[in-house]
Amino acid sequence: MASASAGAIPALVLASFVVVVVVVGKIPTTLDGPFDPVTVPFDRSLRGNAVDLPDTDPRVRRHVKGFEPEQISVSLSNTYDSVWISWITGESQIGDKIKPLDPQTVASVVRYGALRYPLTHEATGHSLVYDQLYPFEGLHNYTSGIIHHVRLTGLKPRSLYYYRCGDPSLPAMSDFYSFKTMPVSGPRSYPGRIAIVGDLGLTYNTTTTIGHLISNKPDLVLLVGDVTYANLYLTNGTGSDCYSCTFSQSPIHETYQPRWDYWGRFMQNLVSKVPIMVVEGNHEIEKQVGNQTFVAYSSRFAFPSKECGSPSTFYYSFNAGGIHFIMLGAYIAYNNSADQYKWLERDLANVDRSITPWLVAAWHPPWYNTYSAHYREVECMRVAMEELLYSYAVDIVFTGHVHAYERSNRVYNYRLDPCGPVHITVGDGGNREKMAINHADEPGNCPEPSTTPDEYMGGFCATNFTFGPAAGKFCWDRQPEYSAFRESSFGHGILEVKNETWALWTWYRNQDSSNKIGDQIYIVRQPDKCPIHLKVIKRWFAFR
């Protein structure tokens, strides 16, 4: 045996080495915060043009025949025992002369069961066709294929189901697919991994994001707005690099609706197996004749609106095990007299935190954003809704819109607050409009206040700060203390709720290998220190 002097590591040194490894490898928690702000320097090599997948790419081409289903997806109802299956049959049309398909000519049928053979259950649903119309010479109109939505009920929790969808009478049925249901709601019952992504589009950056996301084997996907960016294209398919610089000579802001079909085909490999829940972004507005908006968004996805008591596809809620998710609309009225606000009050009042301890909210544009892009753009929404969400102890807020990544310390009304939610911006999914790289707190980057009103809701609420280090100013002169970590990189995040008080958040950058971590933290709830403020509940009942 060799002596210590001949190469054996002394016990004291070995013990010290082990301690160092443990400390270095420790994942921080929100209990360790608030953290000093961190900005990761921008990698200039990432600033290349975002390149679209061409319409010749096999992943976006139509491969089915006749009325066989395509663009198949799964989405959740509001509880574990029900899901929605959606798909499209028939070809869309674009041009001067279009003739919408008749939804009544193709049935909406899903056969499903715990075994591939036989599929013992059958459900039927509804179908629709939508148009995107421009009554101007030279612009092309669009009509979709037949969009089908079927709700499956009576499902068991944490169970694998096989299914086929289509019309068996034609015959035009899909191949076999499968999905796994959510766990039953309870304080010790959670999905394994929830992928959070925003501002996807359909570029080669998108393909990297989705490839990495799939490698993380999520049980659920949340898409926090800006789906296809179809409104960056003329109706002849010609594209542009940004929304604000497109089509100044056009009589209306055009969209190229086939981008929705391309996106649905590309995503089918993932969302035919893993449920996806979507909330609208500004690129889904897609105004057309008659001032219609959000038609593609509201038509192509299934939402659990009716099941959760919402009158709208723009805001809804659902449970995934012991998590209650609230999806809110930033482009529909949100003040305290609006239907959305009244629904939110009712929904929050009905949440039982002994059953769903975690309360997670999501919408598209961030309230807490330190980038010049979209800086304080939805201050009116924050002013209208933040107190309500804080009073019910919302734990995490996910947003997109800003094409970068940012994680906050716990914050409420711009002040550090141990009971405020952690706000996480993941608007870095891979869109064509490139990354946000300038920070509002850097010299020369503070936006002119008059350029920051909510252009969709018509409000202007962003004024100079009246307290704290930025008092008397519209922007901070350094990275704000509420901003814990920010980086301009494309990527996606994974949320893993471990129990009723601990959840692991991990963000992955596209430029890294799929298993390298860009940012990671345990988000820890403290329900004993941060109780629900019952005064809000009483106020709701008083005005009911």
Side-chain angles (χ1 to χ4, degrees), residues 421-500:
V422 175
H423 288 253
I424 299 174
T425 299
V426 285
D428 57 346
N431 63 85
R432 180 167 179 159
E433 290 184 308
K434 305 179 185 179
M435 284 176 283
I437 60 173
N438 297 319
H439 305 113
D441 48 89
E442 295 169 337
N445 286 343
C446 183
E448 167 60 38
S450 64
T451 67
T452 63
D454 185 333
E455 61 180 301
Y456 303 103
M457 292 294 100
F460 188 92
C461 302
T463 58
N464 287 349
F465 291 100
T466 58
F467 58 86
K473 303 174 184 177
F474 191 72
C475 300
W476 293 55
D477 56 9
R478 62 183 184 274
Q479 185 174 358
E481 61 186 6
Y482 64 77
S483 174
F485 184 96
R486 63 188 182 187
E487 180 176 357
S488 298
S489 294
F490 288 119
H492 77 283
I494 295 289
L495 179 68
E496 302 171 75
V497 177
K498 304 298 185 179
N499 55 42
E500 56 264 49

Side-chain angles (χ1 to χ4, degrees), residues 112-121:
Y112 63 102
L115 300 174
R116 186 188 295 262
Y117 299 105
L119 298 175
T120 54
H121 302 285

Side-chain angles (χ1 to χ4, degrees), residues 400-431:
H401 199 43
V402 177
H403 301 158
Y405 173 73
E406 185 163 19
R407 171 176 54 84
S408 79
N409 286 304
R410 290 192 175 275
V411 60
Y412 169 62
N413 194 25
Y414 289 106
R415 291 183 173 95
L416 297 179
D417 189 314
C419 295
V422 175
H423 288 253
I424 299 174
T425 299
V426 285
D428 57 346
N431 63 85

